[in-house]
Amino acid sequence: MIRMSPACAMLGIGFLGITAFMGCATPAVVFVSPNYNAQQIKRVSVSGFNDAPGQPGSGSMVADVFEKYLFNLHYEIVDPTQTQVDAVISGSVSELTDTSEQTVMVDIPQEETEPVYQEVAVQGRRGGIRMVTEQTGSQTVMTDQSVPETETLPARVGLSVRMVSAKGGELLWSGSGSADGMDISSAADAAASKVIDALQKRLANPKPSTSN
Protein backbone atom coordinates (compact mmCIF):
# COMPACT_ATOMS: atom_id res chain seq x y z
CA MET A 1 0.00 0.00 0.00
CA ILE A 2 1.04 3.60 -0.65
CA ARG A 3 0.47 6.41 1.83
CA MET A 4 -0.79 9.70 0.44
CA SER A 5 -1.62 13.07 1.86
CA PRO A 6 -5.25 14.27 1.59
CA ALA A 7 -4.38 16.76 -1.15
CA CYS A 8 -2.66 14.17 -3.32
CA ALA A 9 -5.35 11.61 -2.66
CA MET A 10 -8.06 13.92 -3.93
CA LEU A 11 -6.22 14.11 -7.27
CA GLY A 12 -5.90 10.41 -7.79
CA ILE A 13 -8.96 8.69 -6.29
CA GLY A 14 -11.55 7.17 -8.54
CA PHE A 15 -12.34 7.64 -12.20
CA LEU A 16 -12.00 11.40 -12.13
CA GLY A 17 -8.47 10.94 -10.83
CA ILE A 18 -7.35 9.85 -14.28
CA THR A 19 -7.65 13.39 -15.64
CA ALA A 20 -5.44 14.65 -12.84
CA PHE A 21 -2.60 12.49 -14.09
CA MET A 22 -2.80 13.67 -17.71
CA GLY A 23 0.16 15.98 -17.25
CA CYS A 24 2.36 13.39 -15.58
CA ALA A 25 3.72 11.83 -18.78
CA THR A 26 7.00 13.01 -20.30
CA PRO A 27 7.04 15.98 -22.69
CA ALA A 28 7.89 15.42 -26.33
CA VAL A 29 11.55 15.66 -27.33
CA VAL A 30 12.28 16.28 -31.01
CA PHE A 31 15.31 16.71 -33.24
CA VAL A 32 15.33 18.10 -36.78
CA SER A 33 18.39 17.84 -38.98
CA PRO A 34 19.78 21.16 -40.19
CA ASN A 35 19.74 19.57 -43.66
CA TYR A 36 16.01 18.91 -43.59
CA ASN A 37 14.36 20.52 -46.61
CA ALA A 38 10.57 20.56 -46.56
CA GLN A 39 10.46 21.18 -50.33
CA GLN A 40 12.21 17.86 -50.93
CA ILE A 41 10.08 15.75 -48.59
CA LYS A 42 6.62 15.24 -50.01
CA ARG A 43 5.89 11.52 -50.36
CA VAL A 44 6.36 9.59 -47.11
CA SER A 45 5.72 5.99 -46.13
CA VAL A 46 5.37 4.50 -42.64
CA SER A 47 7.28 1.23 -42.41
CA GLY A 48 5.83 0.24 -39.04
CA PHE A 49 6.55 0.45 -35.32
CA ASN A 50 8.19 -2.16 -33.11
CA ASP A 51 5.93 -3.61 -30.41
CA ALA A 52 6.27 -2.67 -26.76
CA PRO A 53 7.92 -5.46 -24.74
CA GLY A 54 5.38 -8.21 -24.10
CA GLN A 55 2.66 -6.35 -26.05
CA PRO A 56 2.28 -8.01 -29.48
CA GLY A 57 0.34 -5.92 -31.96
CA SER A 58 0.94 -2.68 -30.09
CA GLY A 59 3.36 -1.43 -32.74
CA SER A 60 0.87 -1.61 -35.61
CA MET A 61 -1.84 -0.03 -33.45
CA VAL A 62 0.32 2.96 -32.49
CA ALA A 63 1.67 3.27 -36.04
CA ASP A 64 -1.88 3.58 -37.38
CA VAL A 65 -2.64 6.28 -34.84
CA PHE A 66 0.58 8.16 -35.57
CA GLU A 67 0.04 7.97 -39.32
CA LYS A 68 -3.17 9.98 -39.22
CA TYR A 69 -1.40 12.81 -37.37
CA LEU A 70 1.30 12.94 -40.04
CA PHE A 71 -1.18 14.71 -42.30
CA ASN A 72 -0.75 17.72 -39.99
CA LEU A 73 2.79 17.97 -41.37
CA HIS A 74 1.38 18.11 -44.93
CA TYR A 75 2.99 14.91 -46.13
CA GLU A 76 1.51 12.67 -48.79
CA ILE A 77 1.31 9.30 -47.06
CA VAL A 78 1.88 6.43 -49.48
CA ASP A 79 1.88 2.66 -49.11
CA PRO A 80 5.20 1.18 -47.89
CA THR A 81 5.34 -0.97 -51.02
CA GLN A 82 5.68 2.13 -53.18
CA THR A 83 9.21 2.75 -54.40
CA GLN A 84 8.82 6.42 -55.25
CA VAL A 85 9.07 7.95 -51.78
CA ASP A 86 11.15 10.76 -50.40
CA ALA A 87 11.42 9.51 -46.83
CA VAL A 88 10.54 6.57 -44.62
CA ILE A 89 9.19 6.78 -41.08
CA SER A 90 9.70 4.04 -38.50
CA GLY A 91 9.31 3.88 -34.77
CA SER A 92 8.76 1.83 -31.65
CA VAL A 93 6.43 1.71 -28.69
CA SER A 94 8.56 2.39 -25.63
CA GLU A 95 5.77 2.08 -23.06
CA LEU A 96 2.25 0.71 -23.01
CA THR A 97 0.20 0.15 -19.86
CA ASP A 98 -3.56 -0.12 -19.43
CA THR A 99 -5.56 1.51 -16.66
CA SER A 100 -5.16 -0.13 -13.26
CA GLU A 101 -6.17 0.25 -9.64
CA GLN A 102 -4.16 0.27 -6.45
CA THR A 103 -4.94 0.77 -2.80
CA VAL A 104 -3.46 3.78 -1.06
CA MET A 105 -3.58 4.85 2.57
CA VAL A 106 -5.01 8.35 2.88
CA ASP A 107 -4.54 10.49 5.98
CA ILE A 108 -7.90 12.05 6.85
CA PRO A 109 -7.83 14.92 9.43
CA GLN A 110 -9.92 14.17 12.52
CA GLU A 111 -10.85 16.38 15.48
CA GLU A 112 -10.35 14.92 18.92
CA THR A 113 -11.04 16.41 22.35
CA GLU A 114 -8.38 15.93 25.00
CA PRO A 115 -8.54 16.85 28.70
CA VAL A 116 -6.23 19.56 29.99
CA TYR A 117 -4.53 18.89 33.36
CA GLN A 118 -2.81 21.33 35.64
CA GLU A 119 -1.08 21.12 39.00
CA VAL A 120 -2.94 23.00 41.73
CA ALA A 121 -2.19 23.58 45.42
CA VAL A 122 -4.72 22.18 47.88
CA GLN A 123 -5.01 22.25 51.68
CA GLY A 124 -3.97 19.00 53.24
CA ARG A 125 -5.90 17.34 56.06
CA ARG A 126 -3.21 18.17 58.57
CA GLY A 127 -2.87 21.80 57.52
CA GLY A 128 -0.10 21.37 54.97
CA ILE A 129 -0.19 22.39 51.31
CA ARG A 130 0.24 19.75 48.65
CA MET A 131 0.23 19.81 44.83
CA VAL A 132 -2.25 17.65 42.96
CA THR A 133 -3.02 17.24 39.27
CA GLU A 134 -6.57 18.06 38.29
CA GLN A 135 -8.45 18.41 35.02
CA THR A 136 -8.99 22.07 34.45
CA GLY A 137 -10.59 21.96 30.97
CA SER A 138 -10.34 20.41 27.53
CA GLN A 139 -8.81 21.20 24.16
CA THR A 140 -9.47 20.18 20.55
CA VAL A 141 -6.55 18.70 18.61
CA MET A 142 -6.26 17.57 14.99
CA THR A 143 -5.01 14.07 14.22
CA ASP A 144 -4.65 12.06 11.02
CA GLN A 145 -6.57 8.84 10.63
CA SER A 146 -5.31 6.50 7.89
CA VAL A 147 -8.03 4.94 5.73
CA PRO A 148 -7.66 2.80 2.58
CA GLU A 149 -8.85 4.26 -0.74
CA THR A 150 -8.79 2.95 -4.29
CA GLU A 151 -6.76 4.97 -6.79
CA THR A 152 -7.27 4.57 -10.55
CA LEU A 153 -4.09 4.93 -12.59
CA PRO A 154 -4.45 6.06 -16.22
CA ALA A 155 -3.34 4.19 -19.31
CA ARG A 156 0.00 5.36 -20.70
CA VAL A 157 1.61 5.07 -24.11
CA GLY A 158 5.13 6.13 -25.00
CA LEU A 159 6.61 6.15 -28.48
CA SER A 160 9.71 7.11 -30.40
CA VAL A 161 9.75 7.80 -34.13
CA ARG A 162 12.26 8.78 -36.79
CA MET A 163 12.26 9.86 -40.43
CA VAL A 164 15.15 8.95 -42.73
CA SER A 165 15.81 9.94 -46.31
CA ALA A 166 14.82 7.25 -48.78
CA LYS A 167 17.82 8.13 -50.96
CA GLY A 168 20.75 8.43 -48.61
CA GLY A 169 19.37 7.06 -45.34
CA GLU A 170 20.15 10.33 -43.53
CA LEU A 171 18.22 11.01 -40.34
CA LEU A 172 15.90 13.92 -41.07
CA TRP A 173 14.00 14.18 -37.80
CA SER A 174 13.18 12.18 -34.72
CA GLY A 175 10.80 12.54 -31.81
CA SER A 176 9.70 10.79 -28.66
CA GLY A 177 7.14 11.33 -25.93
CA SER A 178 4.46 9.71 -23.82
CA ALA A 179 0.97 10.57 -22.66
CA ASP A 180 -1.81 9.31 -20.41
CA GLY A 181 -5.41 8.62 -21.27
CA MET A 182 -8.68 7.05 -20.19
CA ASP A 183 -7.65 3.94 -22.13
CA ILE A 184 -4.80 2.77 -24.39
CA SER A 185 -6.43 4.19 -27.51
CA SER A 186 -6.80 7.71 -26.10
CA ALA A 187 -3.30 7.57 -24.59
CA ALA A 188 -1.86 6.62 -28.00
CA ASP A 189 -3.75 9.51 -29.61
CA ALA A 190 -2.42 11.93 -27.01
CA ALA A 191 1.16 10.69 -27.38
CA ALA A 192 1.08 10.88 -31.18
CA SER A 193 -0.49 14.34 -31.10
CA LYS A 194 2.11 15.56 -28.61
CA VAL A 195 5.05 14.44 -30.74
CA ILE A 196 3.54 15.78 -33.98
CA ASP A 197 2.75 19.14 -32.36
CA ALA A 198 6.34 19.44 -31.17
CA LEU A 199 7.66 18.51 -34.62
CA GLN A 200 5.29 20.97 -36.28
CA LYS A 201 6.56 23.83 -34.14
CA ARG A 202 10.17 22.81 -34.69
CA LEU A 203 9.76 22.47 -38.46
CA ALA A 204 8.09 25.87 -38.62
CA ASN A 205 11.22 27.42 -37.10
CA PRO A 206 14.13 25.46 -38.55
CA LYS A 207 17.68 26.17 -37.56
CA PRO A 208 19.81 27.11 -40.54
CA SER A 209 22.49 24.64 -41.53
CA THR A 210 26.08 25.73 -40.90
CA SER A 211 29.01 25.23 -43.18
CA ASN A 212 32.69 25.29 -42.36
Side-chain angles (χ1 to χ4, degrees):
M1 290 186 181
I2 300 175
R3 183 176 298 276
M4 299 179 67
S5 67
C8 291
M10 291 303 293
L11 291 177
I13 303 251
F15 185 73
L16 292 177
I18 293 179
T19 57
F21 287 95
M22 292 298 185
C24 296
T26 59
V29 177
V30 299
F31 162 80
V32 176
S33 169
N35 297 323
Y36 178 87
N37 187 336
Q39 300 302 317
Q40 298 177 356
I41 308 299
K42 300 298 184 180
R43 292 167 57 85
V44 172
S45 68
V46 180
S47 64
F49 283 24
N50 294 326
D51 293 334
Q55 300 285 348
S58 59
S60 60
M61 183 272 291
V62 174
D64 289 344
V65 173
F66 190 82
E67 184 173 311
K68 70 179 183 181
Y69 283 97
L70 282 172
F71 289 103
N72 293 345
L73 300 181
H74 308 293
Y75 296 131
E76 178 186 351
I77 311 301
V78 300
D79 190 271
T81 59
Q82 296 291 322
T83 58
Q84 298 298 321
V85 296
D86 301 315
V88 178
I89 292 174
S90 61
S92 62
V93 183
S94 57
E95 183 179 6
L96 189 145
T97 56
D98 207 345
T99 55
S100 60
E101 292 184 347
Q102 68 177 6
T103 301
V104 296
M105 298 303 296
V106 181
D107 292 334
I108 304 298
Q110 300 286 335
E111 287 188 357
E112 292 186 0
T113 301
E114 293 182 349
V116 176
Y117 295 96
Q118 185 176 352
E119 287 191 342
V120 296
V122 297
Q123 183 73 37
R125 294 183 178 179
R126 300 181 179 180
I129 300 297
R130 60 190 181 91
M131 303 300 293
V132 298
T133 302
E134 293 184 352
Q135 181 178 345
T136 57
S138 61
Q139 63 179 359
T140 300
V141 296
M142 299 298 295
T143 61
D144 288 335
Q145 179 181 356
S146 297
V147 297
E149 296 282 2
T150 299
E151 174 190 53
T152 301
L153 300 179
R156 174 170 293 186
V157 171
L159 60 89
S160 59
V161 63
R162 64 203 304 263
M163 172 187 278
V164 297
S165 168
K167 295 181 179 179
E170 177 188 1
L171 176 65
L172 299 177
W173 57 247
S174 63
S176 62
S178 64
D180 298 337
M182 296 291 191
D183 50 33
I184 290 177
S185 177
S186 61
D189 263 294
S193 176
K194 180 185 291 187
V195 173
I196 289 295
D197 286 348
L199 280 169
Q200 196 168 22
K201 293 176 182 178
R202 183 66 181 81
L203 291 172
N205 297 281
K207 292 181 179 180
S209 59
T210 58
S211 58
N212 295 329

